[in-house]
Amino acid sequence: MKKTSRQLQKEQTKELLIKTAFKLFSERGFLSTRISDIAGAAGVSHGTVFVHFPSLDALMAEVIEVYVGKIAQRTHELADSGKTLREVLCAHLNGIQEYEPFYTALVTENRQLPPPARDAWVTLQSVISLHFSRAVQRETEAGKIIPIPTSLLFNMWLGLVHHYLANTDLFAPGGKVIERYGETLIDNYLKLLASKGAE
Amino acid sequence: MKKTSRQLQKEQTKELLIKTAFKLFSERGFLSTRISDIAGAAGVSHGTVFVHFPSLDALMAEVIEVYVGKIAQRTHELADSGKTLREVLCAHLNGIQEYEPFYTALVTENRQLPPPARDAWVTLQSVISLHFSRAVQRETEAGKIIPIPTSLLFNMWLGLVHHYLANTDLFAPGGKVIERYGETLIDNYLKLLASKGAE
Amino acid sequence: MKKTSRQLQKEQTKELLIKTAFKLFSERGFLSTRISDIAGAAGVSHGTVFVHFPSLDALMAEVIEVYVGKIAQRTHELADSGKTLREVLCAHLNGIQEYEPFYTALVTENRQLPPPARDAWVTLQSVISLHFSRAVQRETEAGKIIPIPTSLLFNMWLGLVHHYLANTDLFAPGGKVIERYGETLIDNYLKLLASKGAE
Amino acid sequence: MKKTSRQLQKEQTKELLIKTAFKLFSERGFLSTRISDIAGAAGVSHGTVFVHFPSLDALMAEVIEVYVGKIAQRTHELADSGKTLREVLCAHLNGIQEYEPFYTALVTENRQLPPPARDAWVTLQSVISLHFSRAVQRETEAGKIIPIPTSLLFNMWLGLVHHYLANTDLFAPGGKVIERYGETLIDNYLKLLASKGAE
DNA sequence: AATGAATGAGCTTTCATTCAT
DNA sequence: CATGAATGAAAGCTCATTCAT
């Protein structure tokens, strides 16, 4: 039990640091969050951060891995096989929504982040891409969608969503872009895709 | 005469700094370009930069203002009134193409830039938006386009283009995304927009 | 009995730490060996070191005291009274040889070490000096040695040996300077000392 | 002239830093002298050091190069070709004497110093070795010296001198080991070398 | 106007030491 | 007795900004 108590303490602190870092990353972005900010906000000393993470990059990598994992997991669950494209897009936005500011920071800064962080980001896009592609294929075969290369369709959707997120300050100054525009984006995007013959 | 000569020199130096900064910003991005890099590349001293610009932020702002102005100007000229949507999109990409690396840096980093820089960026989008909207309106009225809110169509186009630029390393590792994908993007984007009845 | 068992454990742990520290000091020197290295290599926790030693300096001091003691002991045994100078020099090198890397670290770094460590080191030299002096005195009286102040002869010998040890990388890159040069050093040193009349 | 004034200022500061660093290295050794110590002692700010030297290692390297150069130069001049061994040894000690504490720090810590610093040190020994060897060769040919490998003779001399310097605190607590023991060392060393046949 | 030496706040990282468990 | 999480004082280094020349 003693053991458990210590381990618990350590895990709690690490978790606290990850949560705090997540919060700060969401609020201020990755690049302008300092280790001392995280330590301060978590109420621990500067050095404690280095007890749990060998470097700032490692901390970033871990935080991103954890939350990107959650988002991916969420999307996965919602966008199960056999769903329509609309359902997949919903799942995508739903997966993002809970962590919107964090995801936005990732959209905005991922190219300046250390490699492991970038990797996690790229992986996330792949997961989404997979579900998207399957749904598109099914609907294309069913003649419901204009025949356009799937990759282009995907990039168009991703570009659209990321554009709205990246310009949160313009579209929804208080945050919550997805809540405000999500349905609109899906509706109109699907409208465009709808096969002309299907009308 | 002396005065004029001095002023001339001053203007020349300032212009030189702006050009040099533009080049470096294009090559390495805004955030990783140091003042000393710019001064060094321009062949002037470190301190000279501060003679012409009160701060690094001011320099950035001015460089961006100048080149964003050029891009806007270019787009303006090409996308004159009375053009089709395709011509406007072409004009847009053409305006970008000449300054692609710079524009890409702006797409990628504009949110970490000082407010004035971001403002110039937003203004540029407005200019493009204007031409885009007009063309869309004309074609909508002519029944050639699916009735979808113009702003959404615009953001979709912008998101698409920016997505490709932002992922240059993925789509066209050597740069020149527009050259490689421009036509494809326009074609497919227009295909989607084409009114079903029009077919 | 419980008490005894605890004490036993404590002693064992302390001994383990001393041995481990000795090993690491021999391999990497004193200054670049971290407490965590020692704890890790000994398979105990970081904090355990401080249970047995109030500080890193104290640990160093104790390790040095123990092993310097062993070297002194060894030299003592080998260089019993009544021996010739050659035998004393042999004894000296023999005493060192077993702990050569450790002794070399001491030669190299003793001046940056905490006072108690340095003291132990100086004491060791005294012990050696004692045997050396006696032998020199005997041989001088026997007219076998050039009349030169004993202290000088001793420092010359010590300087010579230490010089070779300190430059191990130069003289015997793989270590084992004594094995390789010991005899040569003794032979030539004695050759120099040999009384001219004695020839 | 303007130019000269700025250059002069820079050179002066750099020289000041080198001199200050030299002083601190002499007093406390290389390893325990911090950049902030040097800056503080020189009366300049922390950052100024980095204006003149890219890193602490570079500073060390330059200080060592400069002063080792001076010592080498000095020895060179005094130990001109054609001198007797005694004169060469005198030259050696004379070259050292002026910078004794610095040279002592070098003797003591050179193995923990960054490579460029080590190199300068090794070079210095080579210079000394050269003069030594020549003189020994001449005197050996003249039958004045016991036939013993020159390298051994050199290492013996070097070991002797360095031993005294390294143990300054024992031999001459106030410093000035050379002044106090120089002559003694030379006299007795030569006495040992004197060919028996020459008596 | 141009220079560039000097500044110092700010950052990441290391590691001996403490102490609650 | 042993543990190991937490601490925080240092240290090296960067770079925008200032200002005397």
Side-chain angles (χ1 to χ4, degrees):
Chain A
M1 286 311 121
K2 236 184 187 171
K3 237 182 176 175
T4 303
S5 146
R6 295 308 282 289
Q7 285 180 334
L8 203 67
Q9 189 187 349
K10 180 163 191 181
E11 272 169 34
Q12 278 176 344
T13 304
K14 186 165 183 178
E15 217 170 310
L16 174 65
L17 284 172
I18 288 180
K19 274 183 184 159
T20 309
F22 165 76
K23 208 179 135 213
L24 293 181
F25 289 157
S26 299
E27 285 168 16
R28 317 185 196 167
F30 295 91
L31 299 175
S32 31
T33 299
R34 308 291 145 216
I35 281 201
S36 57
D37 296 336
I38 297 169
V44 301
S45 91
H46 195 145
T48 299
V49 176
F50 289 93
V51 171
H52 298 274
F53 306 93
S55 69
L56 178 56
D57 282 10
L59 168 56
M60 262 190 197
E62 192 149 344
V63 172
I64 289 175
E65 203 183 347
V66 168
Y67 285 89
V68 152
K70 292 188 180 191
I71 296 172
Q73 180 65 23
R74 185 77 193 273
T75 309
H76 231 2
E77 286 167 15
L78 295 171
D80 222 354
S81 60
K83 301 260 178 167
T84 64
L85 180 54
R86 173 177 293 271
E87 283 165 332
V88 168
L89 301 185
C90 269
H92 179 204
L93 296 189
N94 252 297
I96 293 172
Q97 193 161 13
E98 193 176 351
Y99 308 104
E100 183 178 314
F102 182 77
Y103 187 92
T104 300
L106 228 31
V107 168
T108 296
E109 303 178 18
N110 81 77
R111 265 161 303 271
Q112 279 104 274
L113 262 31
R118 276 225 66 172
D119 294 348
W121 169 248
V122 171
T123 302
L124 177 56
Q125 309 307 334
S126 307
V127 169
I128 297 164
S129 169
L130 183 72
H131 290 290
F132 183 95
S133 303
R134 281 188 192 150
V136 165
Q137 201 179 350
R138 280 194 298 273
E139 311 219 346
T140 303
E141 284 168 1
K144 293 179 186 167
I145 290 185
I146 292 179
I148 278 191
T150 307
S151 71
L152 243 159
L153 290 181
F154 180 63
N155 288 324
M156 200 169 275
W157 169 250
L158 217 54
L160 180 63
V161 174
H162 290 181
H163 183 72
Y164 271 79
L165 289 172
N167 294 286
T168 294
D169 56 342
L170 298 181
F171 293 119
K176 308 209 173 186
V177 168
I178 302 290
E179 187 181 312
R180 190 151 160 192
Y181 285 97
E183 223 169 323
T184 309
L185 295 184
I186 293 175
D187 286 347
N188 285 287
Y189 177 75
L190 288 177
K191 206 167 164 188
L192 281 178
L193 259 59
S195 164
K196 293 157 196 181
E199 198 161 314
Chain B
M1 283 302 127
K2 228 182 183 174
K3 226 181 176 180
T4 304
S5 143
R6 270 214 164 185
Q7 286 179 334
L8 197 69
Q9 190 187 357
K10 184 165 184 181
E11 275 170 31
Q12 281 177 343
T13 303
K14 188 167 180 178
E15 216 172 312
L16 174 65
L17 283 172
I18 289 180
K19 274 184 185 160
T20 308
F22 164 75
K23 208 178 136 213
L24 292 181
F25 288 156
S26 299
E27 285 168 16
R28 318 186 197 166
F30 294 91
L31 299 175
S32 31
T33 299
R34 311 278 152 232
I35 280 206
S36 56
D37 298 335
I38 297 169
V44 302
S45 91
H46 197 151
T48 299
V49 175
F50 289 91
V51 171
H52 299 275
F53 307 93
S55 71
L56 179 55
D57 283 9
L59 167 58
M60 266 190 194
E62 193 149 344
V63 172
I64 289 175
E65 202 184 345
V66 168
Y67 284 89
V68 152
K70 291 189 182 195
I71 295 174
Q73 180 65 23
R74 185 78 194 272
T75 309
H76 231 2
E77 286 166 18
L78 295 171
D80 222 355
S81 59
K83 301 260 178 167
T84 65
L85 179 55
R86 173 177 291 271
E87 283 165 332
V88 168
L89 301 185
C90 269
H92 179 206
L93 296 189
N94 252 299
I96 293 172
Q97 195 161 11
E98 192 177 351
Y99 307 104
E100 183 176 318
F102 182 78
Y103 189 92
T104 300
L106 228 31
V107 169
T108 297
E109 303 176 17
N110 80 77
R111 263 157 310 269
Q112 278 105 270
L113 265 29
R118 177 138 172 84
D119 293 347
W121 169 247
V122 171
T123 302
L124 175 57
Q125 311 307 335
S126 306
V127 170
I128 298 165
S129 168
L130 182 71
H131 290 289
F132 183 94
S133 301
R134 283 188 192 150
V136 165
Q137 202 179 350
R138 280 194 300 273
E139 311 218 348
T140 303
E141 285 168 0
K144 294 179 184 164
I145 290 185
I146 292 179
I148 279 190
T150 307
S151 70
L152 244 160
L153 290 181
F154 179 62
N155 288 323
M156 200 171 276
W157 168 249
L158 217 53
L160 181 64
V161 173
H162 290 181
H163 184 72
Y164 271 79
L165 288 172
N167 294 286
T168 294
D169 56 342
L170 214 64
F171 294 118
K176 308 208 173 188
V177 168
I178 302 290
E179 187 181 312
R180 189 151 163 193
Y181 284 97
E183 222 170 325
T184 308
L185 296 183
I186 293 176
D187 286 349
N188 284 287
Y189 178 73
L190 288 177
K191 205 168 166 187
L192 281 177
L193 258 59
S195 164
K196 292 157 196 182
E199 200 161 313
Chain C
M1 282 303 126
K2 229 181 185 178
K3 226 180 178 180
T4 305
S5 143
R6 271 213 164 185
Q7 287 181 334
L8 198 66
Q9 190 187 356
K10 181 164 186 180
E11 275 171 28
Q12 281 176 343
T13 303
K14 186 166 183 177
E15 218 171 310
L16 174 64
L17 283 172
I18 290 180
K19 273 184 185 159
T20 309
F22 164 75
K23 208 179 136 213
L24 291 182
F25 289 156
S26 299
E27 284 168 17
R28 319 186 196 167
F30 294 91
L31 299 175
S32 31
T33 299
R34 312 280 151 232
I35 279 203
S36 55
D37 297 336
I38 297 169
V44 300
S45 91
H46 197 153
T48 300
V49 175
F50 289 91
V51 172
H52 298 276
F53 307 93
S55 70
L56 179 57
D57 283 9
L59 167 57
M60 265 190 195
E62 193 148 343
V63 173
I64 289 174
E65 202 183 346
V66 168
Y67 284 89
V68 151
K70 291 190 181 191
I71 296 173
Q73 180 64 23
R74 184 79 194 274
T75 309
H76 230 2
E77 286 167 16
L78 295 170
D80 221 355
S81 59
K83 301 260 178 163
T84 64
L85 179 55
R86 172 177 292 271
E87 284 165 332
V88 168
L89 299 185
C90 272
H92 178 206
L93 295 189
N94 253 298
I96 293 173
Q97 195 161 13
E98 191 176 353
Y99 307 103
E100 184 178 315
F102 182 78
Y103 189 91
T104 300
L106 230 31
V107 169
T108 297
E109 303 176 17
N110 81 78
R111 263 158 311 268
Q112 279 104 272
L113 265 29
R118 176 135 174 86
D119 292 348
W121 169 248
V122 171
T123 303
L124 175 56
Q125 311 308 335
S126 306
V127 169
I128 297 164
S129 169
L130 182 73
H131 290 288
F132 184 94
S133 301
R134 282 188 191 148
V136 165
Q137 200 178 352
R138 281 194 300 272
E139 310 220 348
T140 304
E141 283 167 1
K144 292 178 185 166
I145 289 185
I146 292 178
I148 278 191
T150 307
S151 70
L152 243 159
L153 288 181
F154 178 62
N155 288 323
M156 199 170 277
W157 168 248
L158 217 52
L160 181 63
V161 172
H162 290 180
H163 184 73
Y164 271 79
L165 288 172
N167 295 286
T168 295
D169 56 343
L170 213 67
F171 293 119
K176 307 209 173 186
V177 168
I178 302 291
E179 187 181 311
R180 188 151 162 193
Y181 284 98
E183 223 170 325
T184 309
L185 295 184
I186 293 175
D187 286 348
N188 284 287
Y189 177 75
L190 288 177
K191 204 168 165 189
L192 280 177
L193 258 61
S195 165
K196 294 157 194 184
E199 198 159 313
Chain D
M1 285 307 120
K2 236 181 187 172
K3 237 181 176 176
T4 304
S5 148
R6 296 307 284 288
Q7 287 182 333
L8 203 67
Q9 189 189 348
K10 179 163 191 182
E11 272 170 33
Q12 278 175 344
T13 304
K14 185 164 186 179
E15 218 171 308
L16 173 65
L17 284 172
I18 289 181
K19 274 183 185 160
T20 308
F22 165 76
K23 207 178 136 212
L24 292 181
F25 289 156
S26 299
E27 284 168 18
R28 317 185 197 166
F30 294 92
L31 299 175
S32 31
T33 299
R34 308 290 147 218
I35 280 200
S36 55
D37 297 336
I38 297 170
V44 300
S45 91
H46 193 144
T48 299
V49 175
F50 290 94
V51 170
H52 298 275
F53 307 93
S55 70
L56 178 56
D57 282 10
L59 167 57
M60 263 191 195
E62 191 149 345
V63 172
I64 290 175
E65 202 184 347
V66 168
Y67 284 89
V68 153
K70 291 188 181 192
I71 296 173
Q73 180 64 21
R74 185 78 195 271
T75 310
H76 231 1
E77 285 166 17
L78 295 171
D80 221 355
S81 60
K83 301 260 180 166
T84 64
L85 180 55
R86 171 177 292 270
E87 283 165 331
V88 167
L89 300 185
C90 270
H92 180 205
L93 296 189
N94 252 297
I96 293 171
Q97 193 160 13
E98 192 177 350
Y99 308 103
E100 183 178 315
F102 182 79
Y103 187 93
T104 299
L106 229 31
V107 168
T108 296
E109 303 177 16
N110 80 77
R111 265 162 303 271
Q112 278 105 275
L113 263 30
R118 277 224 65 174
D119 294 347
W121 170 248
V122 170
T123 302
L124 177 57
Q125 309 307 334
S126 306
V127 169
I128 298 165
S129 170
L130 182 73
H131 290 291
F132 184 95
S133 301
R134 281 189 191 149
V136 165
Q137 200 179 351
R138 281 194 299 273
E139 310 219 348
T140 304
E141 283 166 2
K144 292 177 185 167
I145 290 185
I146 292 178
I148 277 190
T150 307
S151 71
L152 243 158
L153 290 181
F154 180 64
N155 289 323
M156 199 169 276
W157 169 249
L158 216 54
L160 181 64
V161 173
H162 289 180
H163 183 74
Y164 272 79
L165 288 172
N167 295 286
T168 296
D169 56 341
L170 299 179
F171 293 120
K176 309 210 172 186
V177 168
I178 301 291
E179 186 181 312
R180 189 151 162 192
Y181 285 97
E183 222 171 325
T184 310
L185 296 183
I186 293 175
D187 286 349
N188 285 287
Y189 177 75
L190 288 176
K191 205 166 164 187
L192 281 177
L193 259 58
S195 164
K196 293 154 194 184
E199 197 160 316

